[in-house]
C-alpha cells in the first residue's frame, strides 16, 4: 500500500513573499520605506557603491497636507500621497532610491550629483507639483512641496546625521514660506541654530519621559502684615 500526504504551499509562499516586501516597502505607495532608505544610504557610505561623490539627499514634505485630511478625510489624504508618489517617481528617474519616509514625507538619493544639479532636478519636480490640481469631493486643492537638500560624500557623517540635516533643511524651507528648496550649508548660522533647537526638544522630551526633571519652588508670601 502507498499513502501520500500532500500540502499546497503556494498560498504560504505568496504570504511569505508579501511579508518580505512589506518589511521594506510602504503599504500605501509601494515605495521603499524609511528603513530601506536608511539601509541604502548606509550601504553607499560603507561600501562606496557609487563612487566618491558628491551625492545628494532630498527630503520632501507636502505643504498643507493636513488641510486635505481635515477637509476631505484620510482617504483623500491617502489618494493625494499616492499621486504625489507617482509624480515624484516620474521626475526622479535615475536616482538610487525614492522612498516614503513616513506621513507626508518622501526622500530621494541622487548619486554622483552635486547640490547644484540636485537643486535643478528638485526644482523640476516642484514645477510639476505646482501645475498639479488635486480634486476630491468636488473640492480642488493647489498642491506644493517644501524640499530640504544636503550634499554628502562617503567621508561624511553617518546616515542618521545626513538624514537629520536634510530634515532640518526641509523645516527651514517651510519656515521661510513653503514651496521652496533649502540647501543645507554647514556655515548657515540660522540653520545650525534650528538644528540645535530640534535636538534640544528631543532631549527635553526624553528627559520628561525618563522622569529626570526636578521641580523647585519658592513660596510667595507678603512681607507686610495683612
Amino acid at each position: 500500500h502507498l499513502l501520500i500526504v500532500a500540502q499546497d504551499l503556494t498560498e504560504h509562499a505568496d504570504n511569505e513573499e508579501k511579508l518580505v516586501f512589506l518589511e521594506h516597502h510602504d503599504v500605501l505607495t509601494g515605495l521603499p520605506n524609511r528603513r530601506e532608505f536608511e539601509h541604502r544610504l548606509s550601504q553607499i557610505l560603507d561600501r562606496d557603491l557609487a563612487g566618491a561623490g558628491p551625492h545628494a539627499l532630498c527630503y520632501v514634505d507636502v505643504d498643507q497636507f493636513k488641510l486635505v485630511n481635515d477637509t476631505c478625510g484620510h482617504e483623500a489624504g491617502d489618494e493625494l500621497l499616492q499621486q504625489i508618489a507617482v509624480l515624484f517617481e516620474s521626475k526622479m528617474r535615475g536616482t538610487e532610491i525614492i522612498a516614503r519616509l513616513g506621513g507626508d514625507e518622501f526622500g530621494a538619493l541622487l548619486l554622483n550629483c552635486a547640490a547644484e544639479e540636485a537643486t535643478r532636478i528638485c526644482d523640476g519636480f516642484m514645477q510639476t507639483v505646482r501645475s498639479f490640481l488635486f480634486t476630491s469631493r468636488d473640492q480642488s486643492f493647489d498642491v506644493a512641496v517644501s524640499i530640504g537638500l544636503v550634499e554628502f560624500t562617503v567621508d561624511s557623517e553617518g546616515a542618521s546625521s545626513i538624514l537629520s540635516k536634510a530634515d532640518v533643511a526641509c523645516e527651514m524651507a517651510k519656515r521661510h514660506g513653503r514651496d521652496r528648496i533649502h540647501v543645507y550649508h554647514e556655515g548657515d548660522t540660522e540653520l545650525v541654530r534650528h538644528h540645535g533647537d530640534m535636538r534640544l526638544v528631543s532631549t527635553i522630551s526624553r528627559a520628561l519621559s525618563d522622569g529626570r526633571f526636578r521641580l523647585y519652588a519658592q513660596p510667595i508670601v507678603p512681607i507686610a502684615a495683612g
Side-chain angles (χ1 to χ4, degrees), residues 13-225:
D14 288 344
N15 289 336
E16 289 259 337
E17 189 175 334
K18 288 177 182 177
L19 286 174
V20 172
F21 180 84
L22 291 175
E23 185 179 357
H24 301 283
H25 291 80
D26 172 55
V27 178
L28 181 65
T29 62
L31 294 175
N33 57 23
R34 189 185 190 99
R35 177 181 178 181
E36 181 65 16
F37 187 80
E38 291 181 347
H39 173 67
R40 199 75 63 85
L41 176 57
S42 296
Q43 279 188 323
I44 293 169
L45 294 173
D46 292 343
R47 303 177 189 171
D48 191 11
L49 295 180
H55 313 300
L57 190 154
C58 307
Y59 198 106
V60 180
D61 187 284
V62 182
D63 294 334
Q64 304 296 349
F65 175 71
K66 189 174 183 297
L67 177 63
V68 176
N69 259 351
D70 292 345
T71 306
C72 300
H74 290 283
E75 287 186 7
D78 289 348
E79 184 182 348
L80 172 59
L81 291 176
Q82 289 172 330
Q83 294 186 28
I84 289 291
V86 172
L87 292 176
F88 199 29
E89 280 191 296
S90 68
K91 287 296 177 182
M92 292 289 183
R93 295 191 185 280
T95 59
E96 167 64 15
I97 184 173
I98 298 167
R100 182 187 177 200
L101 303 180
D104 59 343
E105 298 167 340
F106 297 85
L109 284 173
L110 286 73
L111 300 186
N112 299 304
C113 182
E116 184 177 351
E117 176 65 11
T119 300
R120 187 189 63 77
I121 295 171
C122 288
D123 188 60
F125 169 60
M126 293 181 71
Q127 296 290 348
T128 301
V129 173
R130 289 188 190 115
S131 62
F132 166 67
L133 189 67
F134 177 70
T135 304
S136 178
R137 297 183 183 180
D138 298 325
Q139 297 192 62
S140 298
F141 300 88
D142 290 320
V143 184
V145 294
S146 298
I147 300 179
L149 185 64
V150 61
E151 182 182 285
F152 68 96
T153 66
V154 292
D155 298 321
S156 300
E157 301 171 73
S160 60
S161 176
I162 295 170
L163 195 56
S164 176
K165 289 177 179 178
D167 185 10
V168 171
C170 184
E171 285 292 324
M172 293 302 297
K174 296 175 79 70
R175 177 181 287 192
H176 288 159
R178 305 175 186 273
D179 189 24
R180 64 188 65 217
I181 303 168
H182 192 97
V183 181
Y184 186 98
H185 295 293
E186 295 291 348
D188 189 335
T189 55
E190 184 182 4
L191 194 147
V192 171
R193 188 184 303 114
H194 183 65
H195 198 179
D197 291 344
M198 289 179 66
R199 286 182 175 177
L200 185 60
V201 168
S202 176
T203 302
I204 291 173
S205 297
R206 284 199 305 271
L208 280 169
S209 63
D210 294 344
R212 290 190 279 117
F213 274 94
R214 181 178 298 174
L215 179 66
Y216 291 91
Q218 179 175 350
I220 301 175
V221 298
I223 59 174

